Structure formats: C-alpha cells, structure tokens
Amino acid sequence: LTDDDADLASETAGDVEYYELVPGAGGYQVQRRSPLTDTLPLQYFSVQAIADLDTDGNIVFSIYCDQHEFTELELGDTLYPRVARFILSRRQTGERYPCYITDLDLSRCVDAGQRPQTVHYLRYKQRLERAINGAIRNA
C-alpha cells in the first residue's frame, strides 16, 4: 500500500454499510444491520472435523471442539453424544441451540491427484451437524 492508499482505506473504513436480505411477503426485504465490532466477546468456539480412513477403508471422523479431540476410532457410537455433552458443558446457559462445523478436512480420504468437490464438503458437513445436533437434543 502506498501512503495515499492507506489514507483512503482509513477514511473509508467507517463508510462500510451492512445489509441483510430477509424473506418477506412477496419476496425479500433489505434491512440495514450494524457491523460487529472487535469489542464483542467471541460467543463460539471452533468445531473442526477431520476425516480419515479406517483399516477397512471406511471414512471415520475426529472432531475437535475447543482443542479437545474426540475420535470415532476410539469412541465408536458414543462419538456424537460425547461431543454433544462437551459442547453443552461449554455453554453458559446450557441451551440446546444448534452447533455448526467451522472447519472440515476431507484431504486424507481422496485419491492422490483428486480433490473433493464442494458438494462433498456440504454433504459431510450436513451429516456431521445432524448427528451432533441430534445428540445435543437428546442429551
């Protein structure tokens, strides 16, 4: 950045406006929103899922919540209930609102030279979130 670019960026930084498209009668409505500021405390922690292959070639997941590891190889069918209990223990109010995967890694499950398509990530993300959120509802 040149000095002129830096000056322009600092002058226009406060000029950014945020809007949200909200479904309404007969279509969408535009509503102005306030930007989040750095002074707001983080209300979430990361939930990362990393896929791997077991000895039979089946996809299994390791889930990391706030840097705590939960592996399907170790926990088997209790993986999602354990993750759900951990997530609920971190919530101050104990509310059972949905959890979302913040990072998904499928790189260990594809053949060399191939890359998974976006739809693969979305399907696995949806599957994992359903399993975790089902366990949260039932905890």
Side-chain angles (χ1 to χ4, degrees):
L1 286 177
T2 66
D3 288 338
D4 290 337
D5 291 335
D7 290 341
L8 180 61
S10 66
E11 288 175 14
T12 60
D15 295 338
V16 176
E17 295 180 3
Y18 296 88
Y19 294 88
E20 179 180 7
L21 291 175
V22 181
Y28 287 89
Q29 299 174 347
V30 177
Q31 293 183 357
R32 188 171 181 175
R33 297 290 184 216
S34 298
L36 296 175
T37 64
D38 292 340
T39 59
L40 293 175
L42 291 177
Q43 303 272 333
Y44 68 92
F45 55 85
S46 66
V47 179
Q48 179 185 32
I50 299 175
D52 212 337
L53 296 175
D54 67 9
T55 55
D56 297 325
N58 299 312
I59 293 178
V60 292
F61 285 94
S62 294
I63 299 175
Y64 297 84
C65 297
D66 202 21
Q67 301 178 356
H68 288 78
E69 180 181 20
F70 301 88
T71 65
E72 194 169 3
L73 287 174
E74 287 180 24
L75 300 172
D77 293 339
T78 66
L79 171 68
Y80 300 111
R82 294 276 302 270
V83 169
R85 284 194 301 273
F86 179 82
I87 290 170
L88 289 171
S89 74
R90 298 298 231 198
R91 294 182 175 171
Q92 294 176 356
T93 61
E95 290 181 67
R96 295 170 191 262
Y97 53 86
C99 165
Y100 299 99
I101 302 295
T102 57
D103 184 23
L104 178 59
D105 182 353
L106 300 177
S107 63
R108 296 180 188 170
C109 300
V110 295
D111 295 330
Q114 287 186 328
R115 292 177 49 180
Q117 296 178 2
T118 302
V119 70
H120 295 123
Y121 284 94
L122 294 173
R123 285 181 183 153
Y124 278 110
K125 182 178 187 305
Q126 184 179 45
R127 180 183 137 213
L128 290 164
E129 288 173 351
R130 278 187 189 152
I132 293 169
N133 290 323
I136 286 174
R137 282 190 301 276
N138 295 327

